[in-house]
Amino acid sequence: MQRRTFIVAAAATCMLISGTVQAQSYRAEYRLSTTLGTAFPWGQAGERWAELVKEKTQGRINIKLYSGNSLVGGDQTREFTAIRQGVIDMSIGSTINWSPQVKELNLFSLPFLMPDYKAIDALTQGEVGKELFAVLEKREVVPLAWGENGFREMSNSKRAITSPADMKGMKFRVVGSPLYNETFSALGANPTQMSWADAQPALASGAVDGQENPLSVFVAAKLSTVGQKYLTLWHYVADPLIFVVNKQVWASWTPADREAVRQAALQAGRENVEKARKGIAGNDNAVLKQIEAAGVTVTNPTAEQRAAFVQATRPVYDKWSKTIGADLVKKAETAIAKR
């Protein structure tokens, strides 16, 4: 009886010590990185995730949002490497920004792969999305949920664009991915890679003529005030977001808290997608009306006009399909066809 009492007491002591060690392994604060701040749906998603995590873990996990990729000096393309290295604990990252390190994420940047929102959902919420999460899990991060920055539309300060010929010689700011350079070069434009922090001053000064971004960014950044008076709705690529946690940070939490963080990410992701599409998708065109009210000429290419853009960029599509992986691209094309 005395031996049994000793064993029970020892077990209880071990549990207490284990709990204390676990509590001590939690940091006072975790760093969450996003590219855009809380004026944008992207940054708001980060704010919401942090809020939900604190609520669901009863304050055990506290998150501080660092927008503008400030943890990597504003360089969007360095973010994924910094997460793997532990410089960043958590992120809601762009598939575009991470694609230089994760070639499969270039899938979403294949020109004119996804014609509508149902096509995006067919990829992120289906087998393709699961396969991409499996790829990320091998890279020292734990992917939890999908969000959305949206379809990237083209604007400029010169003229309405309805064909590749209209883009000839124009300077466009593009993100730091060679796929975007090649796409705009194939259309006859002059692409210039720069961070978003540098893009707005460049647009204001006329150093570049145009840019491509989701409509939510166009509105929140007030791009009509920096010369962007012509907008083309061509849906050429989309930019899904991914909620991730550094693998070592993830391992430091209890299973219960990991599940709480996952559920918080899923909820914040759903809310983010809804917010990113509000006023844009379906019959809701409130955002377009707001843009037009700011004096912007909005051009919606016909099917025939859009086909000219598709044809001009097809060699880029074919080349990058091999880099991404022919099987993955085929799966994506099949999923979209069945949507």
Side-chain angles (χ1 to χ4, degrees):
M1 184 70 178
Q2 191 174 17
R3 174 178 169 76
R4 182 182 175 187
T5 301
F6 173 77
I7 292 172
V8 170
T13 301
C14 287
M15 289 177 67
L16 180 61
I17 293 171
S18 176
T20 301
V21 170
Q22 181 67 58
Q24 288 175 345
S25 71
Y26 278 41
R27 299 179 195 164
E29 186 176 272
Y30 293 89
R31 297 157 294 189
L32 168 61
S33 175
T34 63
T35 296
L36 299 179
T38 54
F40 304 84
W42 188 344
Q44 291 161 15
E47 196 172 52
R48 182 62 171 148
W49 190 20
E51 177 184 273
L52 287 168
V53 167
K54 186 172 184 178
E55 174 189 311
K56 291 178 183 293
T57 64
Q58 289 79 50
R60 287 185 296 278
I61 297 176
N62 295 286
I63 298 168
K64 183 175 180 180
L65 178 64
Y66 292 82
S67 59
N69 298 117
S70 57
L71 295 171
V72 285
D75 186 346
Q76 296 158 246
T77 59
R78 288 176 51 209
E79 184 182 60
F80 187 76
T81 300
I83 299 166
R84 296 183 68 192
Q85 293 173 339
V87 174
I88 295 170
D89 302 315
M90 308 165 73
S91 175
I92 303 175
S94 159
T95 54
I96 298 171
N97 293 344
W98 294 355
S99 63
Q101 288 80 39
V102 187
K103 65 185 176 82
E104 292 86 352
L105 293 181
N106 284 291
L107 176 71
F108 298 104
S109 297
L110 281 177
F112 303 102
L113 169 66
M114 298 163 287
D116 52 36
Y117 287 101
K118 287 184 180 179
I120 300 176
D121 294 340
L123 300 187
T124 61
Q125 306 307 312
E127 291 304 313
V128 170
K130 291 177 183 177
E131 186 168 329
L132 290 171
F133 271 22
V135 169
L136 290 171
E137 286 169 359
K138 297 176 182 177
R139 303 291 188 91
E140 304 305 318
V141 303
V142 180
L144 303 177
W146 291 95
E148 188 167 290
N149 195 26
F151 274 110
R152 300 179 75 89
E153 314 294 11
M154 171 173 52
S155 71
N156 78 94
S157 60
K158 300 294 186 184
R159 54 184 169 269
I161 292 176
T162 59
S163 71
D166 295 328
M167 299 173 64
K168 189 173 182 180
M170 290 179 64
K171 294 180 181 178
F172 282 90
R173 176 266 175 179
V174 296
V175 294
S177 162
L179 176 47
Y180 285 76
N181 263 349
E182 292 179 29
T183 297
F184 273 76
S185 294
L187 292 164
N190 180 12
T192 302
Q193 292 182 351
M194 62 178 67
S195 70
W196 181 240
D198 294 332
Q200 287 169 285
L203 291 168
S205 68
V208 293
D209 302 312
Q211 60 86 52
E212 46 78 59
N213 254 310
L215 295 185
S216 60
V217 175
F218 188 97
V219 172
K222 298 181 172 62
L223 294 185
S224 62
T225 65
V226 289
Q228 299 302 285
K229 296 300 184 182
Y230 299 93
L231 177 67
T232 301
L233 304 179
W234 62 344
H235 272 32
Y236 87 117
V237 300
D239 187 15
L241 305 176
I242 307 178
F243 291 63
V244 305
V245 179
N246 168 276
K247 190 170 283 187
Q248 289 184 330
V249 170
W250 181 258
S252 73
W253 296 333
T254 65
D257 281 343
R258 288 179 209 158
E259 184 58 24
V261 173
R262 184 189 304 277
Q263 292 304 318
L266 289 168
Q267 182 177 338
R270 288 190 298 269
E271 292 176 6
N272 164 244
V273 170
E274 183 179 344
K275 187 173 290 187
R277 296 181 184 182
K278 187 176 181 182
I280 297 170
N283 296 321
D284 187 357
N285 62 355
V287 170
L288 283 178
K289 288 181 178 178
Q290 184 179 349
I291 291 171
E292 288 177 326
V296 177
T297 299
V298 178
T299 300
N300 202 338
T302 65
E304 185 178 356
Q305 289 170 336
R306 192 173 186 274
F309 291 110
V310 175
Q311 183 178 0
T313 56
R314 189 67 199 190
V316 178
Y317 185 108
D318 292 339
K319 173 189 172 182
W320 278 85
S321 291
K322 296 173 185 175
T323 299
I324 295 162
D327 289 344
L328 180 60
V329 173
K330 184 63 177 176
K331 285 181 186 177
E333 292 171 341
T334 301
I336 290 169
K338 291 179 178 178
R339 72 190 184 284

